[in-house]
Amino acid sequence: MTARPATESFFSRWQTLNDWLIKHRTIWQPAPFTELQPAWVEEYPGLAQMMAGFTDDECAELAEAPERLAKIASRHVSDLALYGHLTDFPDLAPDHSDILAATLPEIRATDMPGRKREQAGAFAAALKPLQQPILDWCCGKGHLARTLAAQSQDDVAGFEWNPKLVADGNRLARRFADPVQIACQDVMAKDVPVPTNAHGVALHACGDLHRQLLKEGVAGSLPRLSVSPCCYHKTVEGIYSALSEGSATHEPKLLLDRSDLRLAVRETVTAPAGVRAQTKTLSQWRLGFDGLQRTLREVNQYLSAPSYPPRLIKNGFPEFCHWAASKKQLCLPKDTDFEFWLSYGVQRHRDVHRYELIRHLFRRPLEVWMVLDYAVFLEEQGYQVRLGHFCERSLTPRNLLLDAVKKKAP
């Protein structure tokens, strides 16, 4: 990996990444699932041939090793060799013993899934020392708030819009005598009562919710903001608007809609094997039906169908096709060759999987593009910013931590 210049700024990194993403958007922007063959196959025939030659086992290995895949793919698209440099960040996680010490013991982690408990512990450990009262933004039942309370000398407040979660969270805090108080608050409302001396934190608040914390935090000159973003695509905006002035005025401009932003979080690293197998089967069926409906309608265009209840998988592919056809007011011929179309779907899934594999190289870069914009925004607003990962990707793919401390006025 090329050594990173010591003076490289967040904005210069963002500029380089922005231009790299624009240059290669023909690879990552189209969705292979809806297109019979992505346009880049003709632009980069060598890359397409290489991807088609991978076995399923090789694909599975490379899906877990994007930097290795980028190196191999750079034989055909040279700029992909920059992947490691563009996505490299320091490890902000302390020693394992410190993480264990900051993680709530299982006996105190009522209603808290094991993975969430470990994520909260790793996040809390990476923030120490805690020196201000804490505000847990979009806190749910307050699992992070209670984790942080055990590491802080100050009380912890939480904002959550769901009254049931607020009640459950306060009940848990009382049960374990945690100095945590959760208020029922819509953080997207006007005039959110943000305490002026608070350390605002958000672990996996979605899209507009974590962006709102950044905007409200800088507006209130909060002394510290610590965010691990998630679900960037959950926004009311049709086209994403960069937060920082530098990013917003940069040319050429990368315009991202919700579908583009969704690509940044399309990972199943933490999904159980059974869920992944179920997803694969349904994808094969959808692609099989796609070939069937294109033939019936004589329209070479993907036709989306609503979510299929997983419990109905046991009914088989023909029943799925009848269900999908009914949703689109199509009538299937009695002599429909379901075995043929299932075989077609299995083959299309194989091809799509390989197209998606190369497309998914751009997931982390797109996420980094977003978070670097946040970092630039915070620097523009007078904050000293740390950016890195607070835990291993195996614990959560959304492992980036943006930690900003307000600089003191000279």
Side-chain angles (χ1 to χ4, degrees), residues 260-338:
D260 297 325
L261 298 178
R262 186 179 288 109
L263 176 60
V265 293
R266 282 191 60 192
E267 293 186 78
T268 55
V269 133
T270 59
V275 173
R276 294 197 298 270
Q278 190 179 82
T279 300
K280 178 179 178 179
T281 296
L282 285 174
S283 294
Q284 291 172 338
W285 288 6
R286 285 185 178 276
L287 290 167
F289 175 75
D290 180 50
L292 172 58
Q293 67 84 14
R294 288 177 195 248
T295 300
L296 290 177
R297 296 168 62 226
E298 298 183 342
V299 177
N300 193 22
Q301 186 176 10
Y302 183 78
L303 189 65
S304 63
S307 297
Y308 188 65
R311 69 180 185 280
L312 300 181
I313 285 181
K314 65 181 184 298
N315 294 341
F317 177 66
E319 183 63 28
F320 169 80
C321 288
H322 283 293
W323 172 86
S326 70
K327 296 297 182 181
K328 296 300 175 179
Q329 291 77 51
L330 293 177
C331 183
L332 301 185
K334 291 182 179 180
D335 61 350
T336 298
D337 188 346
F338 292 108

Side-chain angles (χ1 to χ4, degrees), residues 54-75:
F54 286 143
T55 66
D56 288 346
D57 287 343
E58 287 171 330
C59 286
E61 292 175 6
L62 290 171
E64 300 300 316
E67 192 165 346
R68 181 180 158 215
L69 174 58
K71 183 176 181 180
I72 296 171
S74 69
R75 300 168 190 168

Side-chain angles (χ1 to χ4, degrees), residues 6-310:
T7 57
E8 187 177 26
S9 69
F10 287 132
F11 184 57
S12 65
R13 286 195 66 175
W14 182 91
Q15 288 177 300
T16 300
L17 181 55
N18 179 79
D19 298 348
W20 183 84
L21 285 168
I22 288 176
K23 182 176 181 179
H24 300 296
R25 60 185 165 193
T26 57
I27 299 178
W28 61 263
Q29 211 154 29
F33 200 89
T34 63
E35 299 185 15
L36 295 182
Q37 180 176 286
W40 67 260
V41 171
E42 293 186 5
E43 186 179 359
Y44 303 109
L47 177 63
Q49 185 177 6
M50 182 192 76
M51 300 302 297
F54 286 143
T55 66
D56 288 346
D57 287 343
E58 287 171 330
C59 286
E61 292 175 6
L62 290 171
E64 300 300 316
E67 192 165 346
R68 181 180 158 215
L69 174 58
K71 183 176 181 180
I72 296 171
S74 69
R75 300 168 190 168
H76 305 283
V77 185
S78 60
D79 275 359
L80 294 184
L82 295 174
Y83 175 90
H85 177 78
L86 294 171
T87 59
D88 180 44
F89 284 101
D91 185 0
L92 302 183
D95 292 339
H96 184 63
S97 58
D98 292 329
I99 294 175
L100 286 178
T103 303
L104 278 185
E106 288 189 41
I107 195 171
R108 290 173 47 80
T110 302
D111 297 344
M112 193 175 186
R115 190 176 295 277
K116 189 69 175 178
R117 182 176 70 91
E118 294 174 40
Q119 291 169 6
F123 185 83
L127 300 187
K128 294 177 66 175
L130 300 171
Q131 298 176 319
Q132 294 94 16
I134 296 167
L135 172 63
D136 186 0
W137 194 260
C138 306
C139 67
K141 291 185 181 182
H143 297 317
L144 175 64
R146 294 178 53 237
T147 302
L148 290 168
Q151 310 298 318
S152 175
Q153 300 301 312
D154 295 290
D155 290 350
V156 178
F159 282 169
E160 170 57 45
W161 73 272
N162 186 318
K164 184 178 186 309
L165 296 181
V166 171
D168 288 347
N170 285 325
R171 173 181 54 79
L172 286 171
R174 289 192 298 270
R175 175 180 172 183
F176 293 104
D178 294 314
V180 172
Q181 182 63 47
I182 303 174
C184 193
Q185 174 65 52
D186 177 4
V187 300
M188 299 302 295
K190 293 182 180 180
D191 301 321
V192 179
V194 180
T196 57
N197 65 335
H199 174 184
V201 301
L203 174 58
H204 298 161
C206 293
D208 283 345
L209 299 178
H210 68 247
R211 287 186 281 269
Q212 183 77 344
L213 171 58
L214 298 180
K215 290 185 283 190
E216 289 288 335
V218 301
S221 295
L222 296 192
R224 189 176 178 189
L225 294 163
S226 305
V227 178
S228 178
C230 189
C231 299
Y232 306 89
H233 60 286
K234 293 189 176 182
T235 175
V236 297
E237 296 185 2
I239 299 296
Y240 175 72
S241 298
L243 288 188
S244 70
E245 182 179 351
S247 302
T249 57
H250 178 75
E251 295 291 343
K253 196 175 297 297
L254 180 61
L255 301 177
L256 302 177
D257 62 18
R258 280 187 285 267
S259 177
D260 297 325
L261 298 178
R262 186 179 288 109
L263 176 60
V265 293
R266 282 191 60 192
E267 293 186 78
T268 55
V269 133
T270 59
V275 173
R276 294 197 298 270
Q278 190 179 82
T279 300
K280 178 179 178 179
T281 296
L282 285 174
S283 294
Q284 291 172 338
W285 288 6
R286 285 185 178 276
L287 290 167
F289 175 75
D290 180 50
L292 172 58
Q293 67 84 14
R294 288 177 195 248
T295 300
L296 290 177
R297 296 168 62 226
E298 298 183 342
V299 177
N300 193 22
Q301 186 176 10
Y302 183 78
L303 189 65
S304 63
S307 297
Y308 188 65

